[in-house]
């Protein structure tokens, strides 16, 4: 009886250790629309669904670019929209690094969404 209890205890400990090691190895997958360079914020109003203000920030929370987009219905929860915003973020990051000044309304976002 004692031998069987020891065997069960060892098996349980092995399973706990194996589960812990497996949990440590699994990392959450980063979505493709996520940019390493920064992030964006979309500001919109339910009463005017065609008007948006989009702000792009670097990882240090510094405003790099801001644009007011009108006449475009944008759903920021869709993957296609997120991928377009990532593209604009990365291109505005390159431009911002040259000047280090926040730009406003250069119509980068409007150009991407009207294609």
């Amino acid at each position: 009886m004692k031998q069987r209890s020891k065997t069960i205890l060892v098996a349980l400990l092995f399973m706990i250790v194996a589960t812990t090691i497996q949990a440590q190895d699994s990392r959450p997958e980063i979505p493709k629309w996520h940019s390493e360079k920064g992030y964006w914020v979309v500001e919109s109003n339910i009463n005017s669904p065609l008007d948006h203000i989009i702000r792009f920030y670097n990882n240090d929370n510094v405003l790099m670019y801001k644009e007011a987009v009108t006449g475009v219905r944008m759903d920021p929860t869709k993957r296609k929209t997120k991928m377009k915003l990532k593209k604009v973020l990365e291109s505005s990051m390159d431009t911002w690094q040259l000047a280090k000044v926040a730009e406003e309304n250069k119509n980068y976002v409007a150009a991407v969404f009207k294609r």
Side-chain angles (χ1 to χ4, degrees), residues 42-45 48-54 65-74 105-115:
V42 178
E43 180 182 320
S44 56
N45 187 339
S48 55
L50 300 179
D51 299 330
H52 308 281
I53 298 174
I54 304 165
Y65 177 65
K66 174 183 167 185
E67 183 175 340
V69 180
T70 57
V72 176
R73 185 175 297 266
M74 183 185 313
N105 284 335
K106 296 280 186 175
N107 296 324
Y108 296 140
V109 176
V112 169
F113 278 92
K114 291 187 181 186
R115 287 185 186 172

Side-chain angles (χ1 to χ4, degrees), residues 12-114:
L12 285 173
L13 286 173
F14 178 75
M15 288 173 40
I16 291 171
V17 170
T19 305
T20 305
I21 291 172
Q22 183 182 11
Q24 290 174 353
D25 287 343
S26 62
R27 296 182 183 139
E29 187 176 324
I30 297 173
K32 292 189 184 276
W33 53 265
H34 181 296
S35 176
E36 297 293 327
K37 297 182 178 184
Y39 61 97
W40 62 84
V41 176
V42 178
E43 180 182 320
S44 56
N45 187 339
I46 196 165
N47 295 325
S48 55
L50 300 179
D51 299 330
H52 308 281
I53 298 174
I54 304 165
R55 293 179 178 89
F56 296 94
Y57 297 90
N58 66 5
N59 287 330
D60 296 327
N61 302 321
V62 176
L63 178 67
M64 297 183 305
Y65 177 65
K66 174 183 167 185
E67 183 175 340
V69 180
T70 57
V72 176
R73 185 175 297 266
M74 183 185 313
D75 185 2
T77 61
K78 289 188 174 183
R79 185 179 188 276
K80 188 173 182 179
T81 303
K82 292 176 184 179
M83 293 301 288
K84 289 180 180 182
L85 289 173
K86 176 185 177 184
K87 182 178 179 181
V88 174
L89 170 69
E90 291 179 350
S91 67
S92 64
M93 177 67 159
D94 297 337
T95 305
W96 179 80
Q97 284 181 334
L98 296 174
K100 298 284 185 188
V101 177
E103 296 180 319
E104 189 168 333
N105 284 335
K106 296 280 186 175
N107 296 324
Y108 296 140
V109 176
V112 169
F113 278 92
K114 291 187 181 186

